[in-house]
Amino acid sequence: MSHLNSPVGILDSGIGGFSVVRQVQKLLPEENLIYFGDGAHIPYGNHSEETIVAMARYMFSALEEWGIKALLVACNTISCVVDRCEDTVSCPVFNAVQAGADAVSGLDVNKVGVISTVFTHNSHIYPQKILAQSPRKLVVLSCGCPDLARLVEHSLGDPAGMARVEENLRLELDHMVLEDRVDCCVLGCTHYPLVADSIRRLYPQLPLIDPAEEMARTLKAFLDREGLGSFRDQSGSLTIYTTGDVEEYGLRARQVGLERVAAVKYYKPMMV
Ligand code: DGL
């Protein structure tokens, strides 16, 4: 049973959801956060729907046991199948794709680009949601990137790895930005905001939409509305669980500037 000082749960296939943690820590520093990254199974984006649902349900169930008061699905790929996972938790669930579509609905743009994993791209969820929510006629172009999330996961702080990330970004984005000339680009995979500086350097004129900011705002509005915000008078902490490499997760958390990391712990992966 959760209460006001219960933690907020945040999950992703890997470290991508750290981009959401960063925004939540900025907006709601008093909240305790529990993060779960399925490092043993990343990348999710190239798996089948059945496998993604099974792996996501495994993580949802663990977070439910830890007594969370809200869950942020900080993974666009899992957000595509969130309807098939929500019954495993008793708290409200907020997802990255909804946040990304909400963020676009407030913009004065005509042509929107979305980059995401292949699974998210193939689901057509972004164009469908953006078009359904837009009061005006928009063109939405979507691009599925098979390798980018995996490259980002293991390359932060490594010059050779980051060179591969930038090469991959050019491969995936050049056409959308330079030929199709989109007005903005939604970072439809939570790993991509972690390399936003590289994207900005490659395409300085391209406005980037990071759904993480909208997710943090949505969470804050929910906690305020329901009177569920933490009432502790000191800053909250962050506990990280991973089915992957505990040391690598600790390093990545520091590299992306996460604060008040109380512990990084191993969690047994689901057998796939
Ligand atoms: N970070 C995840 C997303 O937002 C997916 C990365 C992956 O595991 O393919 O879609």
Side-chain angles (χ1 to χ4, degrees), residues 182-226:
V182 291
D183 298 327
C184 64
C185 182
V186 178
L187 304 178
C189 166
T190 49
H191 281 73
Y192 306 162
L194 302 179
V195 293
D197 288 348
S198 296
I199 305 176
R200 283 197 197 97
R201 206 173 32 255
L202 293 171
Y203 310 104
Q205 311 298 339
L206 179 68
L208 302 180
I209 316 296
D210 178 1
E213 293 171 26
E214 188 70 25
M215 281 194 99
R217 279 195 292 270
T218 305
L219 174 66
K220 181 172 180 350
F222 162 75
L223 295 176
D224 288 349
R225 193 173 60 241
E226 300 297 324

Side-chain angles (χ1 to χ4, degrees), residues 11-17 19 35 38 41-47 73-80 96-97 116-120 126 145-146 148-150 153 187-193:
L11 63 77
D12 180 42
S13 60
I15 63 159
S19 62
Y35 185 88
D38 195 4
H41 296 129
I42 185 180
Y44 272 30
N46 302 342
H47 282 288
V73 179
C75 175
N76 293 261
T77 306
I78 298 174
S79 300
C80 298
V97 170
S116 69
T117 64
V118 170
F119 186 89
T120 303
Y126 261 111
C145 311
L148 193 49
R150 183 188 58 80
E153 177 92 3
L187 304 178
C189 166
T190 49
H191 281 73
Y192 306 162

